[in-house]
Protein backbone atom coordinates (compact mmCIF):
# COMPACT_ATOMS: atom_id res chain seq x y z
CA UNK A 1 0.00 0.00 0.00
CA UNK A 2 1.27 3.46 -0.80
CA UNK A 3 1.08 6.09 1.95
CA UNK A 4 0.98 9.89 1.75
CA UNK A 5 1.56 12.01 4.82
CA UNK A 6 0.45 15.58 5.52
CA UNK A 7 3.33 18.04 5.60
CA UNK A 8 2.33 19.07 9.13
CA UNK A 9 1.42 16.04 11.19
CA UNK A 10 2.17 15.43 14.85
CA UNK A 11 3.46 17.73 17.56
CA UNK A 12 2.87 21.43 17.08
CA UNK A 13 5.09 24.08 18.61
CA UNK A 14 3.14 24.31 21.89
CA UNK A 15 3.00 20.55 22.47
CA UNK A 16 6.66 20.00 21.61
CA UNK A 17 7.60 22.78 24.01
CA UNK A 18 5.49 21.25 26.80
CA UNK A 19 6.83 17.71 26.34
CA UNK A 20 10.43 18.97 26.19
CA UNK A 21 9.94 20.93 29.41
CA UNK A 22 8.47 18.02 31.33
CA UNK A 23 11.13 15.62 30.03
CA UNK A 24 13.81 17.97 31.36
CA UNK A 25 12.32 17.68 34.85
CA UNK A 26 12.68 13.90 35.01
CA UNK A 27 15.08 13.12 37.78
CA UNK A 28 15.58 16.76 38.75
CA UNK A 29 15.99 15.69 42.37
CA UNK A 30 13.23 18.07 43.49
CA UNK A 31 10.65 15.39 44.29
CA UNK A 32 7.79 14.10 42.17
CA UNK A 33 6.80 15.87 38.94
CA UNK A 34 3.02 16.18 38.62
CA UNK A 35 0.90 17.25 35.69
CA UNK A 36 -2.58 18.54 36.37
CA UNK A 37 -4.68 16.39 34.06
CA UNK A 38 -2.97 14.86 31.03
CA UNK A 39 -0.25 17.26 29.87
CA UNK A 40 -1.41 16.72 26.28
CA UNK A 41 -4.41 14.84 24.90
CA UNK A 42 -2.52 11.71 23.87
CA UNK A 43 -2.96 8.64 26.10
CA UNK A 44 0.14 6.87 24.71
CA UNK A 45 2.40 9.84 25.40
CA UNK A 46 0.93 10.26 28.88
CA UNK A 47 1.57 6.54 29.61
CA UNK A 48 5.16 6.88 28.39
CA UNK A 49 5.71 9.85 30.67
CA UNK A 50 4.11 7.98 33.58
CA UNK A 51 6.65 5.19 33.07
CA UNK A 52 9.36 7.81 33.42
CA UNK A 53 7.91 8.96 36.74
CA UNK A 54 5.65 11.87 35.69
CA UNK A 55 2.41 11.63 37.69
CA UNK A 56 -0.80 13.06 36.23
CA UNK A 57 -3.26 14.06 38.96
CA UNK A 58 -6.86 15.17 38.58
CA UNK A 59 -6.73 17.62 41.41
CA UNK A 60 -4.14 19.30 43.57
CA UNK A 61 -5.47 18.71 47.08
CA UNK A 62 -3.21 15.73 47.76
CA UNK A 63 -0.09 17.34 46.32
CA UNK A 64 2.16 18.63 49.08
CA UNK A 65 5.61 18.52 47.49
CA UNK A 66 7.45 18.33 44.20
CA UNK A 67 6.88 20.21 40.96
CA UNK A 68 3.55 20.86 39.22
CA UNK A 69 3.59 21.24 35.45
CA UNK A 70 0.80 23.35 33.93
CA UNK A 71 -0.59 21.40 30.97
CA UNK A 72 -0.70 22.80 27.40
CA UNK A 73 -4.39 23.69 27.77
CA UNK A 74 -3.68 25.88 30.80
CA UNK A 75 -4.81 25.44 34.38
CA UNK A 76 -7.57 27.11 36.35
CA UNK A 77 -7.00 30.37 38.14
CA UNK A 78 -7.85 28.78 41.51
CA UNK A 79 -5.33 26.01 40.87
CA UNK A 80 -2.62 28.55 40.12
CA UNK A 81 -3.51 30.33 43.36
CA UNK A 82 -3.39 27.04 45.31
CA UNK A 83 0.10 26.26 43.97
CA UNK A 84 1.34 29.70 44.98
CA UNK A 85 -0.22 29.41 48.44
CA UNK A 86 1.28 25.98 49.04
CA UNK A 87 4.67 27.21 47.82
CA UNK A 88 4.96 24.38 45.32
CA UNK A 89 7.48 24.49 42.49
CA UNK A 90 5.80 24.92 39.13
CA UNK A 91 6.59 24.86 35.42
CA UNK A 92 4.22 26.64 33.09
CA UNK A 93 3.91 24.53 29.93
CA UNK A 94 0.71 26.25 28.82
CA UNK A 95 0.74 26.77 25.05
CA UNK A 96 1.60 30.44 24.37
CA UNK A 97 -1.28 30.65 21.88
CA UNK A 98 -3.73 29.48 24.56
CA UNK A 99 -2.31 32.14 26.86
CA UNK A 100 -2.77 34.78 24.18
CA UNK A 101 -6.44 33.83 23.81
CA UNK A 102 -6.84 34.07 27.59
CA UNK A 103 -5.11 37.45 27.66
CA UNK A 104 -7.49 38.81 24.99
CA UNK A 105 -10.51 37.43 26.87
CA UNK A 106 -9.39 39.13 30.10
CA UNK A 107 -8.72 42.39 28.24
CA UNK A 108 -12.20 42.33 26.68
CA UNK A 109 -13.89 41.66 30.01
CA UNK A 110 -11.91 44.45 31.67
CA UNK A 111 -13.11 46.86 28.96
CA UNK A 112 -16.78 46.14 29.45
CA UNK A 113 -17.44 43.61 26.70
CA UNK A 114 -19.75 40.65 27.15
CA UNK A 115 -17.16 37.96 26.47
CA UNK A 116 -18.12 35.07 24.18
CA UNK A 117 -15.80 32.07 23.94
CA UNK A 118 -16.44 29.99 20.84
CA UNK A 119 -15.65 26.40 21.71
CA UNK A 120 -16.56 23.38 23.81
CA UNK A 121 -17.49 24.29 27.39
CA UNK A 122 -16.10 20.96 28.64
CA UNK A 123 -12.68 21.37 27.02
CA UNK A 124 -9.93 22.12 29.59
CA UNK A 125 -8.70 25.08 27.54
CA UNK A 126 -12.12 26.72 27.67
CA UNK A 127 -12.51 25.87 31.36
CA UNK A 128 -9.14 27.47 32.05
CA UNK A 129 -10.04 30.70 30.23
CA UNK A 130 -13.44 30.78 31.96
CA UNK A 131 -11.80 30.51 35.39
CA UNK A 132 -9.61 33.55 34.67
CA UNK A 133 -12.81 35.44 33.79
CA UNK A 134 -14.43 34.37 37.08
CA UNK A 135 -16.85 32.42 34.84
CA UNK A 136 -18.21 35.71 33.49
CA UNK A 137 -18.45 34.66 29.82
CA UNK A 138 -20.77 32.84 27.47
CA UNK A 139 -19.49 29.71 25.71
CA UNK A 140 -21.06 29.07 22.30
CA UNK A 141 -20.57 26.23 19.88
CA UNK A 142 -23.46 27.07 17.57
CA UNK A 143 -24.83 30.37 16.24
CA UNK A 144 -26.98 31.99 18.90
CA UNK A 145 -27.88 35.66 19.30
CA UNK A 146 -26.71 37.41 22.46
CA UNK A 147 -28.26 40.55 23.94
CA UNK A 148 -25.43 42.94 24.71
CA UNK A 149 -24.28 46.35 23.57
CA UNK A 150 -20.61 45.35 23.25
CA UNK A 151 -19.62 41.77 22.51
CA UNK A 152 -15.99 40.57 22.65
CA UNK A 153 -15.17 37.25 21.04
CA UNK A 154 -12.30 34.78 21.32
CA UNK A 155 -12.07 31.22 20.11
CA UNK A 156 -10.78 27.93 21.45
CA UNK A 157 -7.41 27.64 19.68
CA UNK A 158 -8.28 24.28 18.09
CA UNK A 159 -11.67 25.26 16.68
CA UNK A 160 -12.59 24.66 13.05
CA UNK A 161 -13.06 27.78 10.97
CA UNK A 162 -16.63 27.04 9.86
CA UNK A 163 -17.88 26.92 13.45
CA UNK A 164 -15.99 30.13 14.24
CA UNK A 165 -17.41 32.01 11.25
CA UNK A 166 -20.93 30.69 11.86
CA UNK A 167 -21.02 31.75 15.51
CA UNK A 168 -19.56 35.22 14.83
CA UNK A 169 -22.06 35.79 12.02
CA UNK A 170 -24.86 34.92 14.43
CA UNK A 171 -23.64 37.64 16.81
CA UNK A 172 -23.76 40.39 14.17
CA UNK A 173 -27.42 41.14 14.58
CA UNK A 174 -28.06 43.46 17.44
CA UNK A 175 -24.90 44.53 19.26
CA UNK A 176 -23.53 47.99 18.63
CA UNK A 177 -20.00 46.61 18.62
CA UNK A 178 -18.64 43.13 18.01
CA UNK A 179 -14.90 42.80 18.56
CA UNK A 180 -13.47 39.52 17.40
CA UNK A 181 -10.03 38.12 18.19
CA UNK A 182 -9.33 35.22 15.87
CA UNK A 183 -7.42 32.99 18.28
CA UNK A 184 -7.60 29.78 16.25
CA UNK A 185 -3.92 28.83 16.14
CA UNK A 186 -2.23 28.83 12.73
CA UNK A 187 -1.00 25.27 13.27
CA UNK A 188 -4.62 24.10 13.70
CA UNK A 189 -5.66 25.90 10.53
CA UNK A 190 -2.80 24.54 8.43
CA UNK A 191 -3.46 20.98 9.61
CA UNK A 192 -7.17 21.29 8.88
CA UNK A 193 -6.55 22.57 5.38
CA UNK A 194 -3.94 19.92 4.67
CA UNK A 195 -6.19 17.14 5.99
CA UNK A 196 -9.01 18.19 3.65
CA UNK A 197 -6.61 18.41 0.70
CA UNK A 198 -4.98 15.04 1.38
CA UNK A 199 -8.34 13.33 1.94
CA UNK A 200 -9.25 14.35 -1.61
CA UNK A 201 -6.19 12.56 -3.05
CA UNK A 202 -6.40 9.15 -1.35
CA UNK A 203 -8.65 6.07 -1.17
CA UNK A 204 -8.50 5.75 2.62
CA UNK A 205 -7.57 8.39 5.17
CA UNK A 206 -6.24 7.69 8.66
CA UNK A 207 -6.34 10.36 11.34
CA UNK A 208 -3.95 9.43 14.12
CA UNK A 209 -4.23 10.79 17.66
CA UNK A 210 -5.94 10.72 21.05
CA UNK A 211 -9.67 10.10 21.02
CA UNK A 212 -9.75 12.83 23.71
CA UNK A 213 -7.91 15.28 21.48
CA UNK A 214 -10.15 18.09 20.24
CA UNK A 215 -7.98 19.05 17.30
CA UNK A 216 -7.53 15.43 16.17
CA UNK A 217 -11.29 14.83 16.30
CA UNK A 218 -11.81 17.94 14.18
CA UNK A 219 -9.30 16.73 11.60
CA UNK A 220 -11.31 13.52 11.46
CA UNK A 221 -14.59 15.36 10.88
CA UNK A 222 -13.08 17.59 8.19
CA UNK A 223 -11.43 14.71 6.31
CA UNK A 224 -14.53 12.52 6.62
CA UNK A 225 -16.56 15.11 4.70
CA UNK A 226 -14.13 14.80 1.77
CA UNK A 227 -13.33 11.06 1.98
CA UNK A 228 -16.02 8.89 3.64
CA UNK A 229 -13.40 6.17 4.20
CA UNK A 230 -11.70 8.16 6.96
CA UNK A 231 -10.85 6.49 10.27
CA UNK A 232 -9.68 7.94 13.59
CA UNK A 233 -7.12 5.69 15.28
CA UNK A 234 -4.91 6.15 18.31
CA UNK A 235 -2.20 3.68 17.31
CA UNK A 236 -1.36 1.06 14.67
CA UNK A 237 -3.18 -1.50 16.85
CA UNK A 238 -6.53 0.08 15.91
CA UNK A 239 -6.05 -0.62 12.20
CA UNK A 240 -8.58 -3.00 10.61
CA UNK A 241 -7.43 -4.72 7.43
CA UNK A 242 -10.86 -4.63 5.72
CA UNK A 243 -10.77 -0.81 5.55
CA UNK A 244 -8.25 -1.07 2.72
CA UNK A 245 -10.05 -3.39 0.25
CA UNK A 246 -9.35 -2.11 -3.26
CA UNK A 247 -7.42 0.89 -1.93
CA UNK A 248 -4.11 1.96 -3.43
CA UNK A 249 -3.24 5.17 -1.64
CA UNK A 250 -3.67 5.83 2.06
CA UNK A 251 -3.43 9.33 3.56
CA UNK A 252 -1.97 9.81 7.04
CA UNK A 253 -2.11 12.75 9.35
CA UNK A 254 -1.96 13.33 13.08
CA UNK A 255 -3.23 15.94 15.50
CA UNK A 256 -0.94 18.44 17.15
CA UNK A 257 -0.67 16.16 20.20
CA UNK A 258 0.22 13.00 18.27
CA UNK A 259 3.84 11.85 18.76
CA UNK A 260 5.80 11.37 15.53
CA UNK A 261 6.81 7.84 16.48
CA UNK A 262 3.15 6.71 16.51
CA UNK A 263 2.60 8.15 13.02
CA UNK A 264 5.77 6.30 11.91
CA UNK A 265 4.46 3.01 13.34
CA UNK A 266 1.13 3.44 11.51
CA UNK A 267 2.96 4.35 8.30
CA UNK A 268 5.09 1.19 8.41
CA UNK A 269 2.12 -1.01 9.25
CA UNK A 270 0.03 0.36 6.34
CA UNK A 271 2.92 0.01 3.87
CA UNK A 272 3.15 -3.68 4.78
CA UNK A 273 -0.58 -4.44 4.44
CA UNK B 1 -58.62 49.82 -3.50
CA UNK B 2 -57.63 49.23 0.10
CA UNK B 3 -54.28 50.61 1.26
CA UNK B 4 -52.04 49.53 4.12
CA UNK B 5 -49.20 51.74 5.28
CA UNK B 6 -46.01 50.78 7.18
CA UNK B 7 -45.96 52.03 10.73
CA UNK B 8 -42.72 53.87 10.03
CA UNK B 9 -42.84 55.55 6.63
CA UNK B 10 -41.40 58.92 5.70
CA UNK B 11 -39.04 61.25 7.50
CA UNK B 12 -36.75 59.69 10.08
CA UNK B 13 -35.37 61.60 13.03
CA UNK B 14 -32.25 62.82 11.18
CA UNK B 15 -34.13 64.04 8.10
CA UNK B 16 -36.85 65.75 10.11
CA UNK B 17 -34.20 67.51 12.16
CA UNK B 18 -32.36 68.67 9.01
CA UNK B 19 -35.49 69.94 7.26
CA UNK B 20 -36.64 71.75 10.41
CA UNK B 21 -33.25 73.44 10.75
CA UNK B 22 -33.14 74.64 7.18
CA UNK B 23 -36.76 75.86 7.29
CA UNK B 24 -35.88 77.94 10.32
CA UNK B 25 -33.20 79.74 8.31
CA UNK B 26 -35.61 80.92 5.62
CA UNK B 27 -35.62 84.69 5.76
CA UNK B 28 -33.09 84.86 8.57
CA UNK B 29 -31.76 88.07 7.06
CA UNK B 30 -28.23 86.70 6.91
CA UNK B 31 -28.06 86.33 3.14
CA UNK B 32 -28.66 83.27 0.98
CA UNK B 33 -29.02 79.83 2.58
CA UNK B 34 -27.06 77.20 0.64
CA UNK B 35 -27.07 73.44 0.96
CA UNK B 36 -24.09 71.54 -0.34
CA UNK B 37 -25.72 68.99 -2.63
CA UNK B 38 -29.37 68.11 -1.98
CA UNK B 39 -30.00 68.37 1.77
CA UNK B 40 -31.88 65.05 1.58
CA UNK B 41 -32.32 62.60 -1.29
CA UNK B 42 -35.82 63.71 -2.26
CA UNK B 43 -36.12 65.82 -5.44
CA UNK B 44 -39.65 67.06 -4.57
CA UNK B 45 -38.57 68.30 -1.14
CA UNK B 46 -35.47 69.92 -2.60
CA UNK B 47 -37.61 71.70 -5.21
CA UNK B 48 -39.99 72.89 -2.50
CA UNK B 49 -37.08 74.28 -0.49
CA UNK B 50 -35.66 75.91 -3.62
CA UNK B 51 -38.98 77.73 -4.08
CA UNK B 52 -38.55 79.05 -0.57
CA UNK B 53 -35.10 80.40 -1.43
CA UNK B 54 -32.81 77.59 -0.29
CA UNK B 55 -30.10 77.12 -2.91
CA UNK B 56 -28.45 73.74 -3.37
CA UNK B 57 -24.95 74.06 -4.80
CA UNK B 58 -22.64 71.32 -6.01
CA UNK B 59 -19.51 73.00 -4.84
CA UNK B 60 -18.51 75.85 -2.60
CA UNK B 61 -16.09 77.80 -4.72
CA UNK B 62 -18.66 80.36 -5.82
CA UNK B 63 -20.14 80.83 -2.34
CA UNK B 64 -18.85 84.02 -0.74
CA UNK B 65 -21.64 84.98 1.65
CA UNK B 66 -24.67 83.65 3.47
CA UNK B 67 -25.19 80.43 5.40
CA UNK B 68 -24.14 76.93 4.35
CA UNK B 69 -26.19 74.02 5.65
CA UNK B 70 -24.36 70.68 5.97
CA UNK B 71 -26.63 68.06 4.43
CA UNK B 72 -27.88 64.97 6.35
CA UNK B 73 -25.22 62.79 4.71
CA UNK B 74 -22.43 65.01 6.01
CA UNK B 75 -19.95 67.11 4.06
CA UNK B 76 -16.33 66.55 3.18
CA UNK B 77 -13.54 67.52 5.52
CA UNK B 78 -12.05 69.88 2.94
CA UNK B 79 -15.44 71.57 2.50
CA UNK B 80 -15.72 72.10 6.25
CA UNK B 81 -12.23 73.60 6.22
CA UNK B 82 -13.12 75.89 3.29
CA UNK B 83 -16.20 77.18 5.13
CA UNK B 84 -14.12 77.94 8.21
CA UNK B 85 -11.40 79.65 6.17
CA UNK B 86 -13.93 81.80 4.31
CA UNK B 87 -15.64 82.68 7.60
CA UNK B 88 -19.05 81.62 6.28
CA UNK B 89 -21.97 80.99 8.61
CA UNK B 90 -22.85 77.30 8.80
CA UNK B 91 -25.52 75.01 10.18
CA UNK B 92 -24.63 71.41 10.74
CA UNK B 93 -27.67 69.33 9.77
CA UNK B 94 -25.64 66.14 9.44
CA UNK B 95 -27.61 63.20 10.83
CA UNK B 96 -26.22 62.38 14.30
CA UNK B 97 -26.11 58.69 13.37
CA UNK B 98 -23.97 59.47 10.33
CA UNK B 99 -21.68 61.48 12.60
CA UNK B 100 -21.44 58.56 15.01
CA UNK B 101 -20.34 56.25 12.19
CA UNK B 102 -17.72 58.81 11.16
CA UNK B 103 -16.50 59.15 14.74
CA UNK B 104 -16.05 55.37 15.03
CA UNK B 105 -14.21 55.25 11.69
CA UNK B 106 -11.81 57.99 12.81
CA UNK B 107 -11.29 56.25 16.16
CA UNK B 108 -10.47 52.96 14.41
CA UNK B 109 -8.02 54.59 12.04
CA UNK B 110 -6.30 56.41 14.90
CA UNK B 111 -5.87 53.10 16.71
CA UNK B 112 -4.12 51.36 13.83
CA UNK B 113 -6.98 49.47 12.24
CA UNK B 114 -7.34 49.07 8.49
CA UNK B 115 -10.74 50.73 8.19
CA UNK B 116 -13.38 49.07 6.02
CA UNK B 117 -16.56 51.00 5.21
CA UNK B 118 -19.36 48.74 4.05
CA UNK B 119 -21.44 50.70 1.58
CA UNK B 120 -21.55 52.41 -1.79
CA UNK B 121 -18.36 54.34 -2.59
CA UNK B 122 -20.36 56.88 -4.61
CA UNK B 123 -22.84 57.69 -1.83
CA UNK B 124 -22.25 61.14 -0.27
CA UNK B 125 -22.30 59.67 3.25
CA UNK B 126 -19.45 57.28 2.39
CA UNK B 127 -17.56 60.04 0.55
CA UNK B 128 -17.90 62.26 3.62
CA UNK B 129 -16.56 59.60 5.99
CA UNK B 130 -13.71 58.80 3.58
CA UNK B 131 -12.67 62.46 3.45
CA UNK B 132 -12.37 62.58 7.26
CA UNK B 133 -10.09 59.51 7.01
CA UNK B 134 -7.93 61.25 4.36
CA UNK B 135 -9.23 58.52 2.02
CA UNK B 136 -7.34 55.91 4.05
CA UNK B 137 -10.07 53.23 4.06
CA UNK B 138 -11.40 50.45 1.89
CA UNK B 139 -15.04 50.62 0.75
CA UNK B 140 -16.67 47.22 0.21
CA UNK B 141 -20.12 46.33 -1.03
CA UNK B 142 -19.51 42.61 -1.52
CA UNK B 143 -17.60 40.03 0.51
CA UNK B 144 -13.90 40.35 -0.26
CA UNK B 145 -10.94 39.26 1.88
CA UNK B 146 -8.58 41.98 3.07
CA UNK B 147 -4.97 41.45 4.13
CA UNK B 148 -4.50 43.21 7.44
CA UNK B 149 -3.68 42.27 11.01
CA UNK B 150 -6.36 44.52 12.54
CA UNK B 151 -9.52 45.39 10.63
CA UNK B 152 -12.02 47.98 11.86
CA UNK B 153 -15.45 48.03 10.25
CA UNK B 154 -18.26 50.56 10.03
CA UNK B 155 -21.28 50.60 7.77
CA UNK B 156 -23.16 53.15 5.71
CA UNK B 157 -26.13 53.94 7.98
CA UNK B 158 -28.69 52.97 5.33
CA UNK B 159 -27.19 49.60 4.41
CA UNK B 160 -29.28 46.43 4.35
CA UNK B 161 -28.39 43.85 6.98
CA UNK B 162 -27.66 40.99 4.57
CA UNK B 163 -24.95 42.96 2.77
CA UNK B 164 -23.49 44.00 6.14
CA UNK B 165 -23.39 40.44 7.50
CA UNK B 166 -22.03 39.04 4.24
CA UNK B 167 -19.14 41.49 4.02
CA UNK B 168 -18.18 41.11 7.70
CA UNK B 169 -18.24 37.31 7.37
CA UNK B 170 -15.87 37.60 4.40
CA UNK B 171 -13.41 39.54 6.56
CA UNK B 172 -13.26 36.86 9.26
CA UNK B 173 -10.68 34.73 7.51
CA UNK B 174 -7.20 35.99 8.15
CA UNK B 175 -7.06 39.05 10.38
CA UNK B 176 -6.03 38.64 13.99
CA UNK B 177 -8.69 41.11 15.06
CA UNK B 178 -11.89 42.27 13.40
CA UNK B 179 -13.68 45.07 15.25
CA UNK B 180 -17.13 45.81 13.94
CA UNK B 181 -19.26 48.83 14.73
CA UNK B 182 -22.79 48.18 13.57
CA UNK B 183 -23.70 51.66 12.38
CA UNK B 184 -26.79 50.74 10.38
CA UNK B 185 -29.32 53.13 11.90
CA UNK B 186 -32.24 51.61 13.77
CA UNK B 187 -34.72 53.55 11.68
CA UNK B 188 -33.32 51.93 8.52
CA UNK B 189 -33.59 48.49 10.08
CA UNK B 190 -37.14 48.96 11.30
CA UNK B 191 -38.29 50.25 7.89
CA UNK B 192 -36.61 47.36 6.08
CA UNK B 193 -38.25 44.77 8.35
CA UNK B 194 -41.65 46.46 8.07
CA UNK B 195 -41.37 46.70 4.27
CA UNK B 196 -40.70 42.96 3.98
CA UNK B 197 -43.57 42.16 6.34
CA UNK B 198 -46.05 44.43 4.60
CA UNK B 199 -45.02 43.16 1.14
CA UNK B 200 -46.06 39.69 2.27
CA UNK B 201 -49.58 40.89 3.13
CA UNK B 202 -50.54 42.81 -0.02
CA UNK B 203 -51.16 42.26 -3.75
CA UNK B 204 -49.16 45.29 -4.89
CA UNK B 205 -46.49 47.19 -3.00
CA UNK B 206 -45.51 50.82 -3.62
CA UNK B 207 -42.20 52.17 -2.35
CA UNK B 208 -42.34 55.95 -2.35
CA UNK B 209 -39.25 58.16 -2.40
CA UNK B 210 -36.36 59.69 -4.34
CA UNK B 211 -34.82 57.51 -7.03
CA UNK B 212 -31.50 58.88 -5.73
CA UNK B 213 -32.32 57.78 -2.16
CA UNK B 214 -30.18 54.83 -1.06
CA UNK B 215 -32.49 53.73 1.74
CA UNK B 216 -35.60 53.96 -0.45
CA UNK B 217 -33.95 51.89 -3.20
CA UNK B 218 -33.05 49.26 -0.59
CA UNK B 219 -36.65 49.14 0.65
CA UNK B 220 -37.65 48.50 -2.96
CA UNK B 221 -35.18 45.64 -3.37
CA UNK B 222 -36.22 44.03 -0.09
CA UNK B 223 -39.96 44.28 -0.79
CA UNK B 224 -39.50 43.09 -4.39
CA UNK B 225 -38.03 39.81 -3.13
CA UNK B 226 -41.24 39.15 -1.17
CA UNK B 227 -43.78 40.66 -3.58
CA UNK B 228 -42.73 40.73 -7.25
CA UNK B 229 -45.42 43.37 -7.90
CA UNK B 230 -43.41 46.06 -6.11
CA UNK B 231 -42.89 49.46 -7.71
CA UNK B 232 -40.60 52.36 -6.79
CA UNK B 233 -42.28 55.73 -7.39
CA UNK B 234 -41.32 59.28 -6.50
CA UNK B 235 -44.82 60.76 -6.49
CA UNK B 236 -48.45 59.85 -7.29
CA UNK B 237 -47.77 60.96 -10.89
CA UNK B 238 -45.63 57.83 -11.44
CA UNK B 239 -48.53 55.48 -10.73
CA UNK B 240 -49.63 53.25 -13.64
CA UNK B 241 -53.18 51.93 -13.44
CA UNK B 242 -52.40 48.52 -14.99
CA UNK B 243 -50.20 47.60 -12.00
CA UNK B 244 -53.35 47.04 -9.94
CA UNK B 245 -55.33 44.60 -12.13
CA UNK B 246 -57.02 42.07 -9.86
CA UNK B 247 -55.42 43.60 -6.77
CA UNK B 248 -57.36 44.25 -3.59
CA UNK B 249 -54.79 45.42 -1.09
CA UNK B 250 -51.93 47.83 -1.79
CA UNK B 251 -49.03 48.33 0.61
CA UNK B 252 -47.38 51.73 0.95
CA UNK B 253 -44.13 52.73 2.49
CA UNK B 254 -41.61 55.51 2.08
CA UNK B 255 -37.92 55.98 2.67
CA UNK B 256 -36.58 58.07 5.51
CA UNK B 257 -36.27 61.05 3.16
CA UNK B 258 -39.82 60.86 1.79
CA UNK B 259 -42.09 63.71 2.96
CA UNK B 260 -45.33 62.58 4.58
CA UNK B 261 -47.46 64.70 2.25
CA UNK B 262 -46.23 62.75 -0.79
CA UNK B 263 -47.17 59.45 0.86
CA UNK B 264 -50.60 60.97 1.65
CA UNK B 265 -51.07 61.97 -2.00
CA UNK B 266 -50.21 58.46 -3.19
CA UNK B 267 -52.52 56.95 -0.58
CA UNK B 268 -55.47 59.05 -1.73
CA UNK B 269 -54.79 58.37 -5.40
CA UNK B 270 -54.61 54.57 -4.86
CA UNK B 271 -57.78 54.54 -2.74
CA UNK B 272 -59.61 56.20 -5.63
CA UNK B 273 -58.38 53.82 -8.35
Amino acid sequence: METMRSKHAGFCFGVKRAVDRVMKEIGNGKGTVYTLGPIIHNPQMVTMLKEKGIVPVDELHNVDEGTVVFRTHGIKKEEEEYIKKKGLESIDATCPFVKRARKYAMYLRKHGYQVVIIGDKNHPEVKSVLSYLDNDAIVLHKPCPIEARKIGVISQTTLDRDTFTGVVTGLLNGAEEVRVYDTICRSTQVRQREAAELAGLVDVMLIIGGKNSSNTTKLYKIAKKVQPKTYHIETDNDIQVDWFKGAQRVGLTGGSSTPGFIIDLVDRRVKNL
Side-chain angles (χ1 to χ4, degrees), chain A:
Chain A
M1 202 81 60
E2 186 192 341
T3 60
M4 291 172 78
R5 208 190 273 211
S6 280
K7 195 172 164 199
H8 299 86
F11 284 6
C12 65
F13 161 75
V15 168
K16 192 177 171 327
R17 179 173 167 275
V19 172
D20 286 352
R21 287 210 174 176
V22 78
M23 293 287 253
K24 242 206 252 171
E25 291 307 309
I26 294 166
N28 66 1
K30 294 186 204 159
T32 316
V33 180
Y34 299 94
T35 66
L36 198 51
I39 182 161
I40 60 172
H41 275 152
N42 187 272
Q44 292 70 36
M45 195 68 212
V46 171
T47 303
M48 228 178 84
L49 290 170
K50 251 192 224 170
E51 285 162 5
K52 291 184 190 294
I54 309 292
V55 182
V57 289
D58 280 336
E59 53 167 289
L60 283 172
H61 295 299
N62 301 324
V63 177
D64 286 318
E65 53 75 46
T67 305
V68 180
V69 181
F70 299 0
R71 66 199 296 192
T72 44
H73 314 98
I75 63 169
K76 289 185 191 154
K77 188 183 171 191
E78 50 272 28
E79 291 166 339
E80 190 173 349
E81 285 164 357
Y82 177 92
I83 289 164
K84 268 191 196 148
K85 217 174 71 188
K86 274 268 181 183
L88 298 171
E89 288 281 326
S90 69
I91 293 161
D92 186 356
T94 311
C95 168
F97 298 120
V98 170
K99 268 193 159 168
R100 188 181 58 173
R102 187 171 85 192
K103 195 191 78 186
Y104 283 142
M106 291 166 78
Y107 172 87
L108 289 167
R109 181 175 178 234
K110 194 176 152 195
H111 288 82
Y113 293 84
Q114 167 62 58
V115 178
V116 170
I117 304 168
I118 311 179
D120 171 5
K121 68 181 193 308
N122 295 314
H123 192 278
E125 180 187 322
V126 174
K127 284 180 170 175
S128 163
V129 175
L130 266 175
S131 75
Y132 282 87
L133 302 176
D134 300 322
N135 288 311
D136 177 17
I138 296 167
V139 182
L140 291 182
H141 203 254
K142 284 185 179 167
C144 175
I146 297 287
E147 288 232 358
R149 203 173 66 80
K150 286 167 68 177
I151 297 176
V153 184
I154 65 141
S155 163
Q156 186 178 327
T157 57
T158 50
L159 199 73
D160 61 294
R161 190 146 285 285
D162 285 352
T163 301
F164 175 75
T165 308
V167 173
V168 173
T169 305
L171 296 172
L172 290 175
N173 202 346
E176 189 175 324
E177 184 188 348
V178 180
R179 189 168 182 180
V180 184
Y181 286 106
D182 178 353
T183 55
I184 301 178
C185 84
R186 295 292 164 243
S187 161
T188 297
Q189 295 186 52
V190 168
R191 278 149 213 262
Q192 289 178 357
R193 202 185 56 230
E194 287 181 358
E197 284 168 2
L198 184 56
L201 298 173
V202 296
D203 307 309
V204 173
M205 183 80 188
L206 299 179
I207 311 293
I208 309 153
K211 289 278 166 91
N212 58 343
S213 157
S214 164
N215 79 84
T216 309
T217 308
K218 268 171 203 134
L219 289 182
Y220 168 70
K221 284 184 185 162
I222 288 166
K224 183 95 179 167
K225 276 190 196 161
V226 181
Q227 171 51 268
K229 285 189 181 174
T230 294
Y231 303 95
H232 181 174
I233 58 174
E234 287 200 343
T235 68
D236 54 322
N237 293 328
D238 298 336
I239 287 175
Q240 292 180 25
V241 179
D242 59 346
W243 292 343
F244 305 92
K245 260 184 220 159
Q248 289 190 313
R249 280 191 298 192
V250 178
L252 305 179
T253 192
S256 55
S257 48
T258 308
F261 75 87
I262 295 184
I263 303 176
D264 290 342
L265 282 170
V266 171
D267 199 345
R268 234 169 298 152
R269 176 78 191 281
V270 172
K271 276 202 179 99
N272 292 323
L273 275 173

